[in-house]
Amino acid sequence: MSLVIAQAAPAAAPGNPLFSFLPLIALFVIFYFLMIRPQMKRQKEHRNMVSALAKGDEVVSNGGIAGRVDEVGESFLTVEIAPNVKIKLQKGAISQVLPKGTLKSS
């Protein structure tokens, strides 16, 4: 009869802790370049667009209302959407500035 003795495998030597966090760091870098950075760029462009609004600009709001800026205040602006029909909007509600003459052609 042969005797077989099992021996426990030697414990893995603890490696560099950086290698255990490397996948997590790589995931964060990928997440930053694919999601966070483009969103910050869009926010900066929108902030610059809103701060550059002036009387006479043709704009479209987030709700789809198109009109001409009549008055610009600190956080609100007045938009004329039809002759003698003016509404107040928050500056942040403006989604885009249209090229001059767009509203007359439509």
Side-chain angles (χ1 to χ4, degrees), residues 46 49 53 58-62 93-99:
H46 186 262
M49 178 196 65
L53 285 174
E58 295 176 357
V59 296
V60 176
S61 73
N62 289 338
I94 301 301
S95 63
Q96 71 182 64
V97 177
L98 300 172

Side-chain angles (χ1 to χ4, degrees), residues 25 44 50 71 105:
I25 293 169
K44 184 178 179 184
V50 167
E71 182 183 331
S105 64

Side-chain angles (χ1 to χ4, degrees), residues 46-54 72 91:
H46 186 262
R47 209 173 20 250
N48 291 339
M49 178 196 65
V50 167
S51 66
L53 285 174
V72 179
K91 282 186 172 182

Side-chain angles (χ1 to χ4, degrees), residues 73-103:
E74 184 74 23
S75 58
F76 290 92
L77 50 94
T78 305
V79 177
E80 185 174 21
I81 57 175
N84 297 323
V85 179
K86 298 178 183 179
I87 59 172
K88 262 193 190 281
L89 294 173
Q90 284 185 323
K91 282 186 172 182
I94 301 301
S95 63
Q96 71 182 64
V97 177
L98 300 172
K100 298 277 186 189
T102 303
L103 293 178

Side-chain angles (χ1 to χ4, degrees), residues 25-70:
I25 293 169
L27 185 65
F28 179 75
V29 169
I30 291 170
F31 194 71
Y32 175 79
F33 281 107
L34 291 180
M35 296 188 73
I36 297 171
R37 190 166 177 246
Q39 179 65 26
M40 288 172 36
K41 185 177 177 184
R42 279 192 298 272
Q43 285 176 342
K44 184 178 179 184
E45 289 171 354
H46 186 262
R47 209 173 20 250
N48 291 339
M49 178 196 65
V50 167
S51 66
L53 285 174
K55 183 176 181 174
D57 286 345
E58 295 176 357
V59 296
V60 176
S61 73
N62 289 338
I65 298 173
R68 186 169 289 106
V69 175
D70 187 55

